[in-house]
């Protein structure tokens, strides 16, 4: 009989979250074959605890319960305790969060699940205090109770586990016997109307209570709906939300970047962790708003966020780290908050007063009654009037003050950084950098995106096996990639190709898309599963149709396949995308906001993909200027070499036998850069003027 459970094995792991628990008296095991086999051989239930390194209540439960020797003794004797980093194993998190939501009506982290040795859940919750508190059961009582009932009420426990597992399978794996008709282009307006109904017109965002989370998918739908219909309310709600997040505590006004969410309705106090995926999700929406409204402030916020990611979340060799913790020196938020005395310590009186008035820094504070999370409280125009300054001087003084306080803050204890490099999250950030390069006309952003893509490709992609791994940390590669890894990374590579015209990025996107069909697509079920066909068999095989803190991998993959169909029409990308949209048609119609990525894909399939083929050795600067200022949602840019002879080498690299329709017959004419606009199998005449091609799209709408 194997016995790996005789000690805490988390000291062998690279994950910062797992290593945080390596000194617990609990004999934690990673989720691996040894631990699962030990549970089966010893016929012990598994206690599964899921969290992540920046999770506040994970730290609390560790301090209260997992450090308690008496609780540890019960766990070690009667259970196989398993710790999982949800960022490394989103499949396990998805499965067991689902049953938590079905049974308790909520979820979150830490996720606490009791499983049979076969992985079937029979009790679930999130944070438990060590002793009963305010109606919540105590963790000590729960583990002692199940230690006994596993022996005395085994049949009842296993019966519940079977029922719960069936519920998970029905919720996550099962698809309709008969597909529906995919939604039409009206689905975006339907989603926007739902977003408008839930909008907080007083404070921005969605919902009329805290906590308030960024909802980039909803903002995307509103901006698109405005561009399609001209409905001003959609634009107003989108910009009100963007403004509220930018002016409130969600944004780090000293160092840039966005925190995870705000605990209140009015965006004042955040939960201070900074996640890579939030930066990647929000930056494109600020770029969209900059193009759509012509407001420079939105572009500045995006640029500031890129600088934060470069400075704080970028590996020396490329690639982006996962997270900055909420805590510094064991306390939440201390790195970010200020008192008037601290501000005056580093600035002269005028600048200190100006800064405190601008950001609401007061003795009473707004965080734990003693310090202030910076929020914009006064406009620069009002401050200039109050202090008898020119607006330009007030702005300059505030910027100088920010730089001084940034330097002062750097001497504080810094939040811990989770240096996992996750394929999927990197794909999201690469896509954002690519979009930033175009909108901000900053080639260095494209270069950074390319460095990150090269790093991820070199470390996590096995070209000979067409296999993508999940993460690398300290040189250790671990885990099979999930659908989000393949889809998000492919989207990043494709977006970078569109901006740079580098065929190597397009080739990688196509390779990843081919792997998506091979590993994740089930033709009989008409869907893309979250876990690979060749991966670990779990109690169910989940799908991810809904958007949560990251976009739905199912929706992103479907949209990607629709785009890539135009480059590889014989690969059945379009057929798979259509099948997915039919399978999930009723879900999308019934709840478009929760399925916003799928809704965006459905609109694309119904309306057609607008294409802009550019045949040129290099895209002219004036064309880049024009593209930087135009809001063109869903547009696919398809740069290609100027001549057919030059295109031939591209086709070899892409493993294509002939020119795809998006390039076929679309060479440069008269020795000049030439552009073709196409949509729904109809194209404009070739032109050397980009504005003429873009006008063709507008004319086609009338």
């Amino acid at each position: 009989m194997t016995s790996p459970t005789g000690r805490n094995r988390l000291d062998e792991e690279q994950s910062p979250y797992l290593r945080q628990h390596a000194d617990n008296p609990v004999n934690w095991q990673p989720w691996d074959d040894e631990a699962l086999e030990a549970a089966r051989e010893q016929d012990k239930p598994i206690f599964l605890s899921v969290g992540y390194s920046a999770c506040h209540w994970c730290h609390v439960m560790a301090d209260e319960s997992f450090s308690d020797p008496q609780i540890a003794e019960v766990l070690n004797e009667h259970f196989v305790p398993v710790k999982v980093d949800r960022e490394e194993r989103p499949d396990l998190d998805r499965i067991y969060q689902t049953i938590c939501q079905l049974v308790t009506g909520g979820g979150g982290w830490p996720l606490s699940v009791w499983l049979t040795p076969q992985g079937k859940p029979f009790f679930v919750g999130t944070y438990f205090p060590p002793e009963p508190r305010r109606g919540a059961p105590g963790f000590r009582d729960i583990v002692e109770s199940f230690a006994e009932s596993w022996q005395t009420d085994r049949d009842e426990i296993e019966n519940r586990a079977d029922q719960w597992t069936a519920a998970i399978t029905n919720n996550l794996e099962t698809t309709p016997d008969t597909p529906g008709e995919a939604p039409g282009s009206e689905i975006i307006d339907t989603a926007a109307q739902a977003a408008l109904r839930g909008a907080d017109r007083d404070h921005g965002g969605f919902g009329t209570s805290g906590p308030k989370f960024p909802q980039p998918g909803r903002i995307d739908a509103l901006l698109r709906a405005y561009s399609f219909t001209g409905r001003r309310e959609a634009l107003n709600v989108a910009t009100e939300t963007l403004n509220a997040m930018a002016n409130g505590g969600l944004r780090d006004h000293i160092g840039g970047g966005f925190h995870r969410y705000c605990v209140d309705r009015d965006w004042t106090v955040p939960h201070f962790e900074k996640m890579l995926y939030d930066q990647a999700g929000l930056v494109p929406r600020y770029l969209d708003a900059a193009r759509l409204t012509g407001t420079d402030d939105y572009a500045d916020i995006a640029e500031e966020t890129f600088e934060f990611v470069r400075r704080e979340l970028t590996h020396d060799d490329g690639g982006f780290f996962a997270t900055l913790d909420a805590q510094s020196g064991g306390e939440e938020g201390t790195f970010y908050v200020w008192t008037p005395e601290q501000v005056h310590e580093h600035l002269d009186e005028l600048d200190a007063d100006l800064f405190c008035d601008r950001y609401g820094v007061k003795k009473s504070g707004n965080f734990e009654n003693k310090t202030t999370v910076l929020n914009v409280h006064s406009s620069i125009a009002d401050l200039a009037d109050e202090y008898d300054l020119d607006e330009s001087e007030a702005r300059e003084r505030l910027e100088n003050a920010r730089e001084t306080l940034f330097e002062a803050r750097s001497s504080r204890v810094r939040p811990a950084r989770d240096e996992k490099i996750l394929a999927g999250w990197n794909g999201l950030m690469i896509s954002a950098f690519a979009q930033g390069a175009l909108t901000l006309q900053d080639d260095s952003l494209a270069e950074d995106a390319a460095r990150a893509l090269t790093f991820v490709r070199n470390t996590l992609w096995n070209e000979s096996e067409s296999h993508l791994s999940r993460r690398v940390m300290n040189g250790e590669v671990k885990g099979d990639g999930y659908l989000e890894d393949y889809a998000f990374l492919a989207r990043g590579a494709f977006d970078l190709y569109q901006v740079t015209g580098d065929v190597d990025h397009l080739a990688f996107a196509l390779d990843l898309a081919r792997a998506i069909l091979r590993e994740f697509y089930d033709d009989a079920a008409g869907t893309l599963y979250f876990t690979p066909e060749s991966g670990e068999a779990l109690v169910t095989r989940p799908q991810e149709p809904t958007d949560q803190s990251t976009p739905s991998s199912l929706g992103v993959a479907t949209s990607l396949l629709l785009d890539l169909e135009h480059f590889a029409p014989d690969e059945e990308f379009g057929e798979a995308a259509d099948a997915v949209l039919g399978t999930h048609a009723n879900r999308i119609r019934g709840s478009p906001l929760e399925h916003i990525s799928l809704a965006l894909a459905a609109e694309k399939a119904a309306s057609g993909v607008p294409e802009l083929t550019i045949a040129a050795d290099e895209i002219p600067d004036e064309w880049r200027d024009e593209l930087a200022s135009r809001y063109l949602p869903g547009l696919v840019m398809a740069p290609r070499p100027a001549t057919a002879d030059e295109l031939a080498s591209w086709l070899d690299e892409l493993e294509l036998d002939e020119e795809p329709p998006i390039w076929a017959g679309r060479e440069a004419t008269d020795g000049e850069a030439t552009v073709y606009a196409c949509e729904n199998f109809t194209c404009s005449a070739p032109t050397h003027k980009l504005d003429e091609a873009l006008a063709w799209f507008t004319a086609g709408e009338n």
Side-chain angles (χ1 to χ4, degrees), residues 50-52 55 57-58 86 93 96-98 100-101 104-113 124-127:
V50 183
Y52 59 103
C55 166
W57 288 103
C58 299
R86 64 112 173 175
D93 185 57
Y96 297 118
Q97 284 285 356
T98 296
C100 187
Q101 291 161 356
T104 71
W109 300 276
L111 178 66
S112 304
V113 198
V124 66
T126 52
Y127 162 79

Side-chain angles (χ1 to χ4, degrees), residues 215-374:
Q215 299 279 359
R218 297 185 183 195
I219 298 169
D220 191 5
L222 289 167
L223 294 176
R224 288 176 187 244
Y226 169 71
S227 72
F228 296 160
T229 68
R231 185 177 293 111
R232 189 75 190 182
E233 187 184 13
L235 178 63
N236 290 343
V237 167
T239 54
E240 286 166 8
T241 300
L242 291 169
N243 294 341
M245 293 189 294
N247 292 332
L250 190 76
R251 177 177 163 214
D252 177 1
H253 294 274
I254 294 288
F258 290 89
H259 300 293
R260 178 69 195 96
Y261 63 89
C262 282
V263 301
D264 43 44
R265 178 184 176 185
D266 57 5
W267 302 96
T268 299
V269 175
H271 183 48
F272 291 92
E273 67 200 60
K274 288 181 173 179
M275 314 295 292
L276 180 66
Y277 58 69
D278 285 319
Q279 320 311 315
L282 285 169
V283 161
R285 303 293 76 82
Y286 283 96
L287 293 171
D288 286 345
R291 287 194 295 263
L292 192 56
T293 68
T295 302
D296 291 340
D297 286 350
Y298 294 136
D300 292 343
I301 291 164
E303 193 166 12
E304 172 191 278
T305 308
F306 286 131
E307 287 307 309
F308 158 70
V309 172
R310 284 168 153 167
R311 186 182 67 247
E312 303 285 348
L313 292 177
T314 300
H315 189 283
D316 288 343
D317 297 325
F320 302 114
F321 298 129
T323 311
L324 290 184
D325 206 326
Q327 294 189 345
S328 318
E331 293 187 38
E332 185 173 357
T334 54
F335 186 73
Y336 301 102
V337 296
W338 295 86
T339 64
E341 292 77 15
Q342 290 171 331
V343 174
H344 279 269
E345 178 184 349
H346 299 287
L347 302 174
D348 64 36
E349 185 173 356
L350 173 58
D351 289 349
D353 289 343
L354 194 67
F355 187 90
C356 287
D357 285 351
R358 169 70 167 164
Y359 293 108
V361 183
K362 299 178 181 179
K363 286 188 177 182
S364 58
N366 59 21
F367 181 61
E368 298 184 347
N369 298 317
K370 57 183 179 179
T371 57
T372 298
V373 179
L374 302 185

